[in-house]
């Protein structure tokens, strides 16, 4: 049963980490119904490991594009890749600093269904409003190379908002990108790139915190969850990048509102 649950949780993580619908919100709901016969510390580590599997999917898909040392790139393309990484680092600074200072406090006091449900609904409304606002305007930045350092930093400030559970890291940064003039494609792609240092850093810190002393069966559970999250993430990322070429984010806004309402109704009346 624990391995089956690991598969299900890996699927949920792989889908919801990249679509702007909040992986935390879905995990809280999933954990309400799915209980592994493992310790609380192991369950916390499991969430870190499947998140690690999800981020490996971004590295896999975009490895060549993000590799400044690729022999297939010209000197100019290599410089552009290094420049992109500098923007990613600048954008990640706010979340890195605030995350180190307040991560445990935010988890302790805000990781609950009320906060998650409200954030699902609020940001769902934001997606709809911003898409309505942008319906008749042209984006300022249609290529990543056009994105200035100042805008990259401001998008990073939006990423800080994702530390509130239920916000969705991808949701917050995509909204920030849209508000700051980026096209849907640029905002989404840059969001994926931002996830690499932020999520790798967060995973590393929590791995140090929880340690790596597990039984063989627990190691199997971690590996299964990680691999499932990786493969599902590959499909989720490719789906989203294809979807936004012809569609907007409104459907995700409506989905968030419905899910947030269901979370509130469930915990108020059924739990």
């Amino acid at each position: 049963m624990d391995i089956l649950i690991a598969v299900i949780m890996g699927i949920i993580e792989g889908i919801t980490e990249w679509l702007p619908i909040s992986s935390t919100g879905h995990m809280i709901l999933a954990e309400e119904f799915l209980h592994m016969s493992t310790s609380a510390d192991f369950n916390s580590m499991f969430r870190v490991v499947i998140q690690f599997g999800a981020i490996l999917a971004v590295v896999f898909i975009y490895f060549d594009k993000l590799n400044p040392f690729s022999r297939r790139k010209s000197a100019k393309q290599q410089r552009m890749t290094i420049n992109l990484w500098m923007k990613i680092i600048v954008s990640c600074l706010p979340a890195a600093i605030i995350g180190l200072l307040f991560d445990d406090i935010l988890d302790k006091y805000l990781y609950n269904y009320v906060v998650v449900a409200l954030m699902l609904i609020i940001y769902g409304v934001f997606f709809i409003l911003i898409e309505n606002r942008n319906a008749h305007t042209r984006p300022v930045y249609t290529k990543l190379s056009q994105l200035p350092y100042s805008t990259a930093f401001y998008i990073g400030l939006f990423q800080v908002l994702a530390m509130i559970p239920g916000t969705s890291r991808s949701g917050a940064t995509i909204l920030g990108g849209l508000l700051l003039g980026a096209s849907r494609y640029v905002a989404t792609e840059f969001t994926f790139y931002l996830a690499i240092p932020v999520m790798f850093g967060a995973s590393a810190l929590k791995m140090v915190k929880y340690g790596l002393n597990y039984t063989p069966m627990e190691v199997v559970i971690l590996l299964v969850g990680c691999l499932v999250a990786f493969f599902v993430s590959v499909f989720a990322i490719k789906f989203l990048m294809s979807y936004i070429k012809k569609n907007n984010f409104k459907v995700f806004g409506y989905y968030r509102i419905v899910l947030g309402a269901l979370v509130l109704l469930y915990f108020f009346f059924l739990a």
Side-chain angles (χ1 to χ4, degrees):
M1 280 302 295
D2 284 346
I3 291 177
L4 177 59
I5 291 171
V7 170
I8 295 171
M9 298 294 271
I11 292 171
I12 294 171
E13 169 66 21
I15 295 172
T16 60
E17 186 63 53
W18 305 113
L19 304 186
I21 53 178
S22 175
S23 59
T24 304
H26 288 78
M27 285 296 176
I28 283 181
L29 275 180
E31 289 170 2
E32 182 69 16
F33 300 100
L34 303 172
H35 304 285
M36 288 194 287
S37 58
T38 48
S39 67
D41 280 351
F42 176 83
N43 294 340
S44 297
M45 184 62 180
F46 178 77
R47 287 194 292 269
V48 173
V49 168
I50 60 174
Q51 188 180 64
F52 181 76
I55 192 58
L56 285 177
V58 177
V59 177
F60 173 76
I61 293 172
Y62 294 107
F63 182 80
D64 189 60
K65 192 167 186 177
L66 292 171
N67 180 12
F69 309 109
S70 174
R71 294 181 179 180
R72 288 183 286 181
K73 292 182 177 179
S74 65
K76 180 181 178 182
Q77 289 173 322
Q78 290 178 342
R79 287 195 299 271
M80 288 176 66
T81 305
I82 292 172
N83 191 44
L84 172 60
W85 271 109
M86 294 302 294
K87 292 175 184 177
I88 291 170
I89 292 170
V90 166
S91 190
C92 288
L93 287 176
I97 295 169
I98 296 176
L100 285 171
L101 294 174
F102 300 106
D103 184 50
D104 288 340
I105 295 172
L106 292 172
D107 269 357
K108 181 178 179 179
Y109 293 105
L110 297 181
Y111 193 89
N112 62 73
Y113 74 88
V114 175
V115 172
V116 169
L118 290 176
M119 291 302 103
L120 281 167
I121 293 169
I122 290 169
Y123 280 86
V125 172
F126 283 164
F127 265 112
I128 295 168
L129 293 177
I130 291 169
E131 285 289 10
N132 286 340
R133 190 204 72 163
N134 290 353
H136 304 292
T137 60
R138 284 191 172 189
V140 179
Y141 313 114
T142 56
K143 296 180 181 178
L144 273 175
S145 58
Q146 297 174 335
L147 206 66
Y149 278 90
S150 57
T151 302
F153 178 77
Y154 295 141
I155 290 175
L157 293 177
F158 278 90
Q159 189 169 227
V160 173
L161 298 174
M163 294 179 66
I164 302 174
T167 299
S168 168
R169 194 200 58 79
S170 61
T173 50
I174 288 171
L175 278 175
L178 294 176
L179 280 170
L180 294 165
S183 67
R184 295 187 191 98
Y185 197 92
V186 168
T188 304
E189 190 174 13
F190 192 62
T191 288
F192 291 159
Y193 297 162
L194 293 186
I196 297 174
V198 169
M199 290 173 63
F200 265 126
S203 296
L205 284 173
K206 291 186 178 180
M207 284 180 182
V208 170
K209 176 181 177 181
Y210 295 118
L212 296 170
N213 298 317
Y214 299 107
T215 66
M217 179 53 70
E218 288 175 333
V219 172
V220 170
I221 292 170
L222 292 173
L223 288 175
V224 168
C226 183
L227 287 172
V228 171
F230 170 81
F231 286 111
V232 174
S233 289
V234 169
F235 288 104
I237 291 167
K238 290 185 176 181
F239 162 77
L240 184 59
M241 296 309 291
S242 175
Y243 176 84
I244 60 173
K245 288 179 180 178
K246 297 181 179 179
N247 302 277
N248 59 36
F249 286 104
K250 281 187 181 181
V251 65
F252 299 111
Y254 292 122
Y255 177 84
R256 289 179 65 103
I257 293 169
V258 171
L259 179 64
L262 288 175
V263 170
L264 287 175
L265 289 172
Y266 173 78
F267 283 99
F268 272 130
F269 298 108
L270 299 175

